[in-house]
Amino acid sequence: MRIALLADTYPPDNRGGAGVVVERLAGAFVRAGHDVCVVSTTSGRGSIQEQEGVRVRRLRSRYPERFRNTVAMANPTVLPGVRRELADFKPDLVHAHNVHQHLSFATLSAAARLGVPVLYTAHDYLLFCCIKFICTGGPVDFRQRWFNCAKCQRFRWNPARNVVIDHHMAKHVSHLFAISRTLQTALRANGFGGAEVVYNGVDLDWWGGGDGAAFRTAHGLDGAPLALLAARVSREKGAEAALYALAHSQHPDLRLMIAGENPRYAPKLRRLADDLGVGDRLLLPGWMEPEALRDAYAAATVTLAPSTYPDPFNLTLIESMAASRPVIASTLGAGPEIVSDGAWGYTVDPNDALAFADRLDLVVSDPRHAQRLGDAGQQRAASAFSLQRQVEQTLARYDAVLSGRT
C-alpha cells in the first residue's frame, strides 16, 4: 500500500503531539512493508529526504501568528508543493493529521482531487475551536460558540474559519478518527459525528528501557523522590498546579521536574516556586529528546499530567505507563480514560492542590504501592495503548475504506 500522511510538523522539527504520533505510525507502516510519504512543513528551507525509510517532504511555511485562523483555511505558499508531492508519489490513500496551522484544510481538497480516499485524525479540538478549549479552565460541554471565540480571539478571529473547515471535512474526508472518547464526544457535539476512536500507542519495549540511575546522577537527584511533568512549560499543562501540590506535600525532599520549554513563561514559574517556598526543589532542564525522556521516566517516582484544560490525550501518560511508572492525571479531558483511579495511578482535579498533594504523598510514601501501580500501568499499556494495536486498527480501516466496506 502507498500511504501519504499530512502533518503540519514532523520530527525533528516537531517537539510533541501529533507530529510524534505521525512519525511513529509512519515508521511502523514502513516496517510492515508499505511505502510511506509524509508531507509536512518547516520554517526553514524546504527539503526532501528519507528518514527511517519514510519519504519526508518539507515545505517552507512562515507567517505572523496573528494570521493563523486565516491560514488554516488555505495556505497558498504550500498548496502547490502539496499537489506536486502527492501527484509524484501517487498514493493509494491520504491520511491527514493536524493541518490547521501550516498545511491548511485546503490540502484535503488537493488530496481528494487524486481520486483516492482521504482520512483525517483529529488530535485536538481545532476542527472547531481555535485554542483547544484552554479558555475553559475546567469542565466544558464542548460546544463551540462563535461569541466565545470572537471574545477570545478578538482581532485574530476569522468567522469564515469554521465554515470552510466544515466544508472541506464534509466534502473530502472519507473517514474520521478521534484519539479518545472525550474527543469523539466533542466532535459529535460540533457536528462531526461518526468518528472512530483509535488510541495513540507507544513502543512498549523501547519506553521500558531507560537508564534511571544515570539520569539521577546527571541531575544530582541522589535518593530524592522525583515527580516528573513532561510537557510544554505552561499553566494549561499543569505547571502551576504541580507547584501548588508540591508546596502542600508532606515530603520536603520531593523534587518536581518539568521537562519542556517556554522561555517567556519559565521566569514566572520560578518566581511562583520561590513564593511558595519550593524554588530549590523545582528543576527545569528544558526540552528533552526521546532518549533522555525515556531515562527521566525510569528515574521518576511518579509522572504527572495535571492539565487544567480538557486535554484530549496526553502521550506522556502512556509513555510513563510503558516504563512501569505510576501516574497522576487530570480529571479534565481524557485523563480518566487512560488512568483508572487507584488501579495504576490516580486522577485528580488539578485545581485542588490539597487533593493533588495527597495523591502525590500516597505514591511517594509507599514504594511497594508505587511499584504495584507501575506494574499495573505497564499491563494496561500493553493491552490498550501499544503501537502495534494502533497500527493494526489503522491499517484495518485503510483496507475497509479501499475495499468500499465503509
Side-chain angles (χ1 to χ4, degrees), residues 48-65:
I48 301 177
Q49 58 187 170
E50 184 172 299
Q51 292 181 215
E52 303 295 327
V54 178
R55 174 185 171 94
V56 181
R57 178 73 161 98
R58 289 184 173 85
L59 303 165
R60 178 178 169 82
S61 175
R62 192 171 183 177
Y63 64 90
E65 178 68 15

Side-chain angles (χ1 to χ4, degrees), residues 93-175:
L93 58 80
V94 177
H95 187 172
H97 292 259
N98 278 5
V99 297
H100 63 273
Q101 189 169 6
H102 292 288
L103 287 176
S104 78
F105 284 88
T107 57
L108 302 181
S109 174
R113 288 196 184 107
L114 298 173
V116 301
V118 179
L119 300 88
Y120 189 93
T121 291
H123 290 264
D124 49 39
Y125 310 111
L126 286 159
L127 284 177
F128 48 87
C129 173
C130 300
I131 56 168
K132 305 182 183 181
F133 278 119
I134 62 174
C135 58
T136 64
V140 61
D141 66 4
F142 290 120
R143 284 184 171 81
Q144 181 270 348
R145 296 169 174 84
W146 70 267
F147 46 85
N148 286 338
C149 292
K151 179 181 178 181
C152 174
Q153 295 290 288
R154 302 181 66 190
F155 298 114
R156 299 184 179 194
W157 185 55
N158 189 322
R161 176 191 185 272
N162 286 7
V163 175
V164 171
I165 291 173
D166 289 350
H167 167 76
H168 284 302
M169 292 294 294
K171 186 173 182 180
H172 304 304
V173 173
S174 305
H175 191 77

Side-chain angles (χ1 to χ4, degrees), residues 74 87 93 119 138 154-155 158 197 199 231 253 255 290 334 368 380:
L93 58 80
L119 300 88
R154 302 181 66 190
F155 298 114
N158 189 322
V197 175
Y199 287 125
D253 57 341
R255 312 286 178 83
R368 290 186 179 180
R380 177 59 177 170

Side-chain angles (χ1 to χ4, degrees), residues 14 17 22 63 72 77 84 99 106 138 141 151 153 160 225 251 318 330 334 365:
N14 179 86
V22 173
Y63 64 90
T77 64
R84 285 194 300 270
V99 297
D141 66 4
K151 179 181 178 181
Q153 295 290 288
H251 289 270
I318 61 174
S330 172
S365 298

Side-chain angles (χ1 to χ4, degrees), residues 162-215:
N162 286 7
V163 175
V164 171
I165 291 173
D166 289 350
H167 167 76
H168 284 302
M169 292 294 294
K171 186 173 182 180
H172 304 304
V173 173
S174 305
H175 191 77
L176 177 62
F177 295 102
I179 59 173
S180 65
R181 294 194 303 275
T182 297
L183 184 52
Q184 181 190 51
T185 298
L187 290 167
R188 187 182 297 119
N190 289 276
F192 297 98
E196 176 186 4
V197 175
V198 174
Y199 287 125
N200 292 325
V202 291
D203 184 328
L204 301 167
D205 292 335
W206 194 87
W207 285 101
D211 188 341
F215 186 89

